[in-house]
């Protein structure tokens, strides 16, 4: 498969992936090379080095939230990865989550987005009953923003609530204090099942020596107040003393090696087979111009095992593709937006990427079938929304759309979402956007997320701006109007970028399309640790 258009698409995708990797390399430096050198001078590993050491050699590390904080908190010097490195990996062949404070970023202080990211990792742990390892090295709440992180439901305190809930659920939590652990943050390791502390570099206390002096007049150094010897031999707060970072991480590996197996959900898996079609051709199939049509089945053929896809109701509701396949051996049900123009049997034309009444009806039925068969669902999003206009409204598009949303929202099998291209308005919701609890949601570098497309939104916003100026008695000429339109479009385009979404954790990661099979496979493997206990009930809106 090679023609001029294909090659241009391929070049564009490779440029986007190159840009993504460049951004990732910058993020990986955390607070910068000088801060890393200071960490090493203290005899400490960096957050990423700690993760690389404790995980199994050559094990996959599915990083969650690498771009969290991108472009945010610039007045404070930024917060790469939200000041915490985290993801899903394997320790002693056991799939688990690791959350490591990055002390090179503001001494590991917690920004508002740091709390959001930590809560997301705990959510993944609870949904999938995965053990979680905390590598603690944090100065606590970033005080200049304490009002945005301290008291609310989804703020810092929710983490300790989750510690308690996870403990009651039998989810293993292991903490290693490898640096500072102060104030309210001191509860996290002690609410874990087992806590380690590194001698001379780790410390735990509700108030440091300076605050103790100010509060009660006692003079004491931090090591005596809350160092490893104090907490392992006097207070009994911690369970193990480690001589250095590597010793602590070795102890964690030994603990993980003894954990018993968990009950499985029983999702169907057979031997994995590579797609027959070349996965790399995805780069050339996906158009550079997000408005251009393409056949989503060509993408599916390059994601599923042996390129085999059993399509459900192939001739009905064709703007949504539904069907069964395997990804890395796991049985999956796929719901995907068809981006080609479709000619129905009635001779009508349907726009690609738009959800019509018959498509929504078909998807609702298919989702119900997957729940009955206990098959995980994979949503491939490239959607501009539901069809509008009198014909659709009179045909009951709202009710049909509601049926699909009900079926999807009440699904008890795990859901996984990949945003390939457009993700606009209610289409984002119906195709299992972040608000609908996908176990993992990732995007390709080609993704765009917004309430509507950039061109339409910019024109609407321009009309509002012009009306506002008119009220003030001001008029703008054609040249000024074009400049205003460009300003609005540029601002809107920035907000539709996948990096804008990733920085705010609307998606868990931005990935190379060639990583899609790995992400889905690791996600289903994680979900398989959490048996389904409830029956599927799609809600009140039935067919």
């Amino acid at each position: 498969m090679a023609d001029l258009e294909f090659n241009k698409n391929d070049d564009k995708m490779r440029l986007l992936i190159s840009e993504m990797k460049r951004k990732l390399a910058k993020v990986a430096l955390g607070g910068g090379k000088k801060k890393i050198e200071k960490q090493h001078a203290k005899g400490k590993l960096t957050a990423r080095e700690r993760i690389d050491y404790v995980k199994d050699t050559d094990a996959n590390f599915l990083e969650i939230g690498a771009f969290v904080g991108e472009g945010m908190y610039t007045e404070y010097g930024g917060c790469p990865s939200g000041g915490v490195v985290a993801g899903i990996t394997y320790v002693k062949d056991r799939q688990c989550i690791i959350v490591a404070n990055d002390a090179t970023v503001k001494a590991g202080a917690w920004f508002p987005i740091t709390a959001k990211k930590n809560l997301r990792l705990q959510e993944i742990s609870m949904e999938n009953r995965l053990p979680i390892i905390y590598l603690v090295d944090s100065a606590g709440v970033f005080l200049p923003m304490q009002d945005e992180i301290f008291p609310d439901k989804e703020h810092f305190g929710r983490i300790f609530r989750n510690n308690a809930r996870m403990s009651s659920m039998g989810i293993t939590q292991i903490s290693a204090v490898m640096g500072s652990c102060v104030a309210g943050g001191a509860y996290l390791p002690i609410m874990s099942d087992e806590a380690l502390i590194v001698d001379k570099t780790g410390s735990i206390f509700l108030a440091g020596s300076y605050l103790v002096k100010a509060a009660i007049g006692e003079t004491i150094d931090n090591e005596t107040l809350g160092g490893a010897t104090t907490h392992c031999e006097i207070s009994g707060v911690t369970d193990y003393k480690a001589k250095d970072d590597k010793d602590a991480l070795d102890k964690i590996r030994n603990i993980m090696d003894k954990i018993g197996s968990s009950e499985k959900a029983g999702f169907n898996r057979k031997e994995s087979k590579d797609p027959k079609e070349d996965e790399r051709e995805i780069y050339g199939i996906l158009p550079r111009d997000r408005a251009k049509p393409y056949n989503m089945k060509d993408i599916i053929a390059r994601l599923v095992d042996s390129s085999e896809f059993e399509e459900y109701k192939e001739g009905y509701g064709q703007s949504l593709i539904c069907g069964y396949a395997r990804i890395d051996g796991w049985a999956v049900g796929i719901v995907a937006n068809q981006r080609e123009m479709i000619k129905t049997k009635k001779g009508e034309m349907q726009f690609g990427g738009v959800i019509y009444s018959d498509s929504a009806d078909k998807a609702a039925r298919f989702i119900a079938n997957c729940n009955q068969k206990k098959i995980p669902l994979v949503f491939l999003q490239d959607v501009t929304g539901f069809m509008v206009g009198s014909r659709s409204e009179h045909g009951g598009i709202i009710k049909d759309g509601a049926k699909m949303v009900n079926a999807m929202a009440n699904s008890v099998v795990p859901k996984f979402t990949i945003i390939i291209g457009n993700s606009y308005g209610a289409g984002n919701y119906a195709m299992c956007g972040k608000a609908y609890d996908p176990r993992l949601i990732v995007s390709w570098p080609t993704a765009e997320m917004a309430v509507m497309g950039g061109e339409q939104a910019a024109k609407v916003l321009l009309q509002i701006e012009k009306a506002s100026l008119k009220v003030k008695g001001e008029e703008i000429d054609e040249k000024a109007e074009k400049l205003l339109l460009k300003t609005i479009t540029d601002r809107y385009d920035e907000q539709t970028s996948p990096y804008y979404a990733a920085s705010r954790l609307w998606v868990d990661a931005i990935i190379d399309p060639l990583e899609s099979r790995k992400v889905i496979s690791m996600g289903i493997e994680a979900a398989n640790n959490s048996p389904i206990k409830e029956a599927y009930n799609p809600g009140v809106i039935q067919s």
Side-chain angles (χ1 to χ4, degrees):
M1 181 181 287
D3 57 26
L4 182 59
E5 190 66 20
F6 179 95
N7 290 335
K8 286 182 177 179
N9 292 340
D10 184 274
D11 288 343
K12 176 65 174 178
M13 179 65 86
R14 290 180 188 276
L15 282 171
L16 289 173
I17 292 169
S18 177
E19 179 190 12
M20 180 185 74
K21 289 181 177 178
R22 179 183 58 77
K23 286 177 176 284
L24 280 171
K26 184 179 178 182
V27 161
L29 292 174
K33 291 181 179 179
K34 288 185 177 179
K35 294 287 180 68
I36 291 172
E37 289 169 3
K38 285 184 178 180
Q39 187 92 336
H40 289 161
K42 295 176 184 176
K44 297 162 67 175
L45 301 174
T46 65
R48 292 183 183 277
E49 288 167 345
R50 287 166 176 167
I51 291 173
D52 193 54
Y53 184 91
V54 75
K55 76 178 185 66
D56 294 344
T57 304
D58 298 327
N60 284 323
F61 175 59
L62 175 54
E63 185 167 358
I64 303 295
F67 291 113
V68 161
E70 174 89 358
M72 299 170 70
Y73 315 121
T74 52
E75 68 273 33
Y76 299 113
C79 187
S81 290
V84 63
V85 184
I88 303 171
T89 189
Y90 303 83
V91 175
K92 287 292 183 177
D93 296 322
R94 182 67 179 259
Q95 196 178 36
C96 62
I97 290 171
I98 301 178
V99 180
N101 297 116
D102 187 349
T104 71
V105 179
K106 292 289 187 294
W110 288 60
F111 285 73
I113 200 67
T114 314
K116 185 174 182 179
K117 182 171 176 176
N118 276 265
L119 289 169
R120 174 60 178 148
L121 271 297
Q122 287 185 321
E123 179 182 43
I124 293 172
S125 173
M126 288 189 283
E127 285 180 332
N128 301 292
R129 294 183 177 269
L130 287 182
I132 188 165
I133 297 167
Y134 306 101
L135 305 180
V136 184
D137 193 346
S138 171
V141 168
F142 186 63
L143 290 177
M145 303 190 74
Q146 64 85 27
D147 62 319
E148 296 182 45
I149 189 173
F150 169 62
D152 211 343
K153 181 178 179 180
E154 298 299 328
H155 284 179
F156 196 50
R158 187 77 172 183
I159 290 162
F160 312 133
R161 175 264 189 194
N162 287 350
N163 287 143
R165 294 289 301 128
M166 292 160 75
S167 181
S168 72
M169 293 168 69
I171 297 170
T172 298
Q173 300 175 82
I174 302 168
S175 290
V177 179
M178 312 179 84
S180 298
C181 184
V182 301
Y187 286 106
L188 184 147
I190 310 313
M191 293 186 75
S192 299
D193 300 305
E194 297 189 80
L196 305 85
I197 186 168
V198 178
D199 195 21
K200 302 298 186 253
T201 56
S203 59
I204 308 173
F205 33 66
L206 295 180
S209 56
Y210 292 130
L211 185 53
V212 167
K213 177 69 173 176
I216 64 172
E218 180 183 1
T219 301
I220 189 170
D221 65 88
N222 283 339
E223 184 64 25
T224 306
L225 180 65
T229 299
T230 294
H231 285 310
C232 287
E233 299 178 18
I234 300 173
S235 72
V237 164
T238 50
D239 307 309
Y240 307 90
K241 185 202 283 190
K243 63 183 180 181
D244 56 25
D245 280 11
K246 289 184 178 180
D247 186 36
L249 299 171
D250 286 335
K251 290 180 187 297
I252 289 172
R253 287 182 57 79
N254 288 335
I255 294 167
M256 287 291 292
D257 193 37
K258 311 300 187 298
I259 297 175
S261 60
S262 60
E263 183 184 355
K264 301 298 181 187
F267 300 127
N268 185 291
R269 192 180 198 186
K270 292 186 176 179
E271 181 185 353
S272 175
K273 295 180 180 178
D274 292 334
K276 286 183 180 176
E277 302 292 340
D278 188 350
E279 290 179 78
R280 291 169 297 182
E281 290 181 345
I282 289 172
Y283 293 179
I285 293 169
L286 202 66
R288 308 180 310 288
D289 181 350
R290 299 303 316 118
K292 283 191 174 181
Y294 65 94
N295 191 342
M296 181 64 83
K297 293 179 187 179
D298 291 338
I299 301 290
I300 293 172
R302 287 155 179 82
L303 293 177
V304 302
D305 290 13
S306 301
S307 300
E308 293 177 355
F309 180 64
E310 188 66 37
E311 190 167 358
Y312 174 77
K313 288 184 179 288
E314 182 178 1
Y316 177 74
Q318 296 175 72
S319 74
L320 277 176
I321 300 167
C322 300
Y324 303 105
R326 290 188 182 274
I327 293 178
D328 196 25
W330 295 104
V332 296
I334 294 175
V335 181
N337 301 109
Q338 176 58 285
R339 284 303 311 270
E340 281 194 326
M341 289 287 288
I342 300 151
K343 188 173 184 179
T344 69
K345 289 190 175 179
K346 294 180 181 179
E348 299 167 340
M349 294 303 296
Q350 292 187 349
F351 295 102
V354 177
I355 301 174
Y356 290 79
S357 286
D358 53 357
S359 306
D361 175 67
K362 176 173 80 170
R365 291 169 181 266
F366 179 72
I367 289 166
N369 287 349
C370 287
N371 274 269
Q372 186 180 40
K373 296 180 178 71
K374 205 159 71 171
I375 300 173
L377 285 158
V378 175
F379 292 83
L380 302 178
Q381 278 200 25
D382 194 347
V383 57
T384 53
F386 284 87
M387 190 58 191
V388 296
S390 61
R391 188 185 185 102
S392 292
E393 298 292 359
H394 296 170
I397 184 67
I398 294 175
K399 186 170 184 179
D400 287 324
K403 282 194 294 186
M404 179 180 173
V405 171
N406 264 35
M408 180 273 301
N410 287 304
S411 174
V412 296
V413 297
K415 300 169 293 196
F416 303 89
T417 302
I418 297 179
I419 302 176
I420 289 175
N422 302 327
S423 180
Y424 295 156
N428 169 281
Y429 299 161
M431 292 295 291
C432 197
K434 181 66 183 289
Y436 291 85
D437 301 318
R439 295 292 177 96
L440 291 172
I441 176 168
V442 299
S443 79
W444 290 358
T446 43
E448 294 182 0
M449 278 156 276
V451 72
M452 65 176 73
E455 185 179 350
Q456 303 96 307
K459 288 178 179 178
V460 171
L461 290 168
L462 176 65
Q463 294 306 312
I464 294 170
E465 187 69 25
K466 285 172 67 178
S468 176
L469 290 170
K470 191 172 183 179
V471 168
K472 297 175 185 176
E474 299 176 26
E475 295 285 346
I476 59 174
D477 58 25
E478 186 177 341
K479 184 178 179 181
E481 183 175 325
K482 286 182 178 179
L483 181 61
L484 181 57
L485 180 61
K486 183 181 185 306
T487 301
I488 292 171
T489 302
D490 289 347
R491 184 174 69 238
Y492 196 86
D493 286 346
E494 179 189 353
Q495 293 177 355
T496 64
S497 157
Y499 296 100
Y500 192 90
S503 72
R504 289 153 179 80
L505 261 181
W506 301 344
V507 294
D508 294 317
I510 303 172
I511 65 167
D512 183 330
L514 302 185
E515 294 182 298
S516 301
R517 283 170 53 83
K518 179 189 79 174
V519 169
I520 293 168
S521 178
M522 288 182 71
I524 297 175
E525 182 182 351
N528 201 38
N529 290 294
S530 183
I532 298 170
K533 302 294 187 182
E534 56 185 316
Y536 172 65
N537 183 343
V540 296
I541 299 179
Q542 306 291 333
S543 60

